[in-house]
Structure formats: C-alpha cells, structure tokens
C-alpha cells in the first residue's frame, strides 16, 4: 500500500470512537439514523481485524443486504430499471481504463442508484469530489446514509481527500450540478433513445478534456470514442464505451 493509503493513528482512534460526531446524525429520519448506528459497529469490527487494505471489504459490508432491484421495483419507466456490474473488481477494471481519475478530478455518476460507484471511486482513487445523482428516492436515501458513513468515518480512517455527495434529482434537470465534471459515468443500458439524445446534448457541453463512460453508444459527433471494453453485468455481458471531449 502506498504512503497515502497508510492508516493514521489519529484517524484510526477517532474512527473507532463511535461517540464522535453522533449529533450530526440528526439530519437523518429515525430509521436511517438507527441503520447507521447499527452498521458502524460492524465496520469497526472489520477495521480492527486487520491492517491490510480493507477499502473494498468495507464497501462490500456496507452494501450487504441492500437490493436496488427491490427498492426501485415500483418505478416502471426503463430509465429506472436497476442494474449493477457483477463485482467491485469489475468496476475497478472499467475505471482503470479511464485517463482522468486524478487527484483534482470531479467524478459524477448519473443515475447513481445505491451510490456504490461513488464510494468506490472516493476510496480507491482518492479524487477531489465524487457526486452521485439519483431520482429514485429510496435509492438516494441509502446513498445518503452510506455517504455520511464515508464522510464522517472512512474518509479519515483511510486518509482520503475525496468529498462524497449525493443529490436526489433528475439528471436532465440538474446539469448545473455536474457541468464541471471531469469524468461522467452512467449505466445507461435501459435508457430510451429520446432520453439519450437529450442527455448527449448536455454531455457535449462538458469542458474540454472531460471523459464519459457509458454502457451504450452515444449519438454524438462531438465526443470522441477512444475505447470500448467488454464488461460482465448482473443482466449479462455488455460493453463500456469511453468518450472524451477534445478540441
């Protein structure tokens, strides 16, 4: 593990004190407040168990038992069909193919679901900011809870600089929040052509040098396709398309 990933004694001590920052939990409705309090001891137990790199095990533990398909089942429109890649390592394989995940990067996941990718990027790549935008309220609530755990505990424990934030919003109506993105990720496999056309128009307004990762080809002449890779998702095999906004 490199120096930036070393566990700091002060951060470790503060993290393992479950009484720190508890008053900030008042921002959550009671069920989520109790969920966080129940989840934290399990994370502490995991982190006490080893000094090895536990970033991915922490994410796996946080999302254990959550089913995005169930939480989104009453949303019938195609853009609300929930889907994930099969494993965290699969996400890492995709993200490692991106050129812009650097310390000054703002990463945005459009249709962020439970927020797993945002936490993975923050912990694994240590970028500046990781923003997830999701319209399904129940999915967004899970993201908020895990975002709180990251920002108030894991960020210090793993000595990360990344800020994680989740917004409950329509991605087509919230461009002001993500127009400054360096990397945009979107699992767009079920999104209809009309929506993709509107979204692609917005993506073409991103700043020069920005990159877009999508699971469908974009109807664009402005963004340059520079790579495709095969990925294994929970619905079957598909491709990830990598675009860049170049001069």
């Amino acid at each position: 593990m490199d120096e930036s990933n070393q566990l700091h004694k002060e951060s470790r001590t503060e993290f393992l004190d479950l009484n720190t920052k508890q008053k900030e939990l008042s921002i959550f409705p009671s069920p989520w407040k109790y969920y966080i309090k129940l989840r934290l001891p399990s994370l502490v137990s995991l982190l006490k168990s080893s000094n090895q790199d536990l970033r991915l095990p922490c994410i796996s533990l946080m999302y254990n038992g959550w089913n995005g398909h169930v939480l989104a089942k009453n949303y019938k429109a195609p853009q609300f069909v929930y889907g994930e890649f099969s494993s965290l390592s699969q996400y890492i394989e995709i993200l490692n193919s991106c050129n812009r995940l650097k310390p000054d990067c703002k990463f945005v996941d459009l249709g962020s679901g439970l927020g797993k990718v945002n936490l993975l990027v923050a912990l694994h790549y240590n970028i500046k900011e990781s923003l997830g935008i999701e319209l399904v309220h129940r999915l967004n609530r899970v993201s908020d809870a895990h975002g709180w755990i990251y920002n108030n505990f894991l960020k210090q424990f793993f000595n990360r600089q990344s800020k994680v934030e989740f917004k409950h919003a329509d991605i087509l109506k919230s461009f002001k929040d993500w127009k400054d993105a360096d990397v945009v990720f979107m699992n767009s496999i079920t999104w209809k052509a009309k929506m993709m056309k509107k979204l692609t128009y917005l993506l073409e307004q991103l700043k020069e040098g920005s990159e877009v990762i999508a699971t469908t080809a974009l109807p664009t002449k402005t963004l340059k396709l520079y790579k495709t890779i095969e990925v294994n998702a929970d619905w079957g095999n598909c491709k990830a398309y990598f675009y860049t906004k170049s001069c």
Side-chain angles (χ1 to χ4, degrees), residues 60-79:
S60 295
L61 176 60
M62 289 168 69
Y63 285 93
N64 182 40
W66 287 109
N67 189 321
H69 296 283
V70 173
L71 292 174
K73 68 178 181 179
N74 292 329
Y75 292 78
K76 302 302 183 183
Q79 64 267 32

Side-chain angles (χ1 to χ4, degrees), residues 83-115:
E84 290 185 336
F85 294 108
S86 298
S87 66
L88 291 174
S89 60
Q90 190 72 58
Y91 281 113
I92 290 175
E93 181 181 350
I94 295 167
L95 295 168
N96 279 345
S97 297
C98 180
N99 297 321
R100 282 290 291 119
L101 286 174
K102 302 180 186 295
D104 62 344
C105 171
K106 177 176 179 177
F107 173 89
V108 178
D109 185 1
L110 299 180
S112 52
L114 295 171

Side-chain angles (χ1 to χ4, degrees), residues 99-107 125-130 161-162 180-183 207:
N99 297 321
R100 282 290 291 119
L101 286 174
K102 302 180 186 295
D104 62 344
C105 171
K106 177 176 179 177
F107 173 89
Y125 297 95
N126 199 23
I127 59 170
K128 180 178 68 175
E129 182 179 355
S130 183
Q161 68 158 346
S162 307
D180 59 341
D182 297 290
V183 177
K207 61 188 177 183

Side-chain angles (χ1 to χ4, degrees), residues 96-185:
N96 279 345
S97 297
C98 180
N99 297 321
R100 282 290 291 119
L101 286 174
K102 302 180 186 295
D104 62 344
C105 171
K106 177 176 179 177
F107 173 89
V108 178
D109 185 1
L110 299 180
S112 52
L114 295 171
K116 187 182 297 184
V117 179
N118 292 99
L119 294 189
L120 175 62
V121 168
L123 284 172
H124 197 76
Y125 297 95
N126 199 23
I127 59 170
K128 180 178 68 175
E129 182 179 355
S130 183
L131 170 66
I133 301 176
E134 175 57 54
L135 189 57
V136 178
H137 184 262
R138 284 172 291 186
L139 296 176
N140 179 254
R141 266 307 185 186
V142 176
S143 299
D144 277 342
H146 289 149
W148 189 94
I149 292 173
Y150 167 83
N151 286 318
N152 288 277
F153 289 92
L154 297 182
K155 181 177 180 179
Q156 285 182 294
F157 188 86
F158 289 109
N159 192 31
R160 303 286 87 182
Q161 68 158 346
S162 307
K163 173 188 175 184
V164 171
E165 183 179 4
F166 295 103
K167 289 185 178 292
H168 177 223
D170 185 325
I171 60 176
L172 294 176
K173 298 178 181 178
S174 57
F175 183 56
K176 61 179 176 57
D177 294 316
W178 56 273
K179 64 182 181 180
D180 59 341
D182 297 290
V183 177
V184 173
F185 177 86

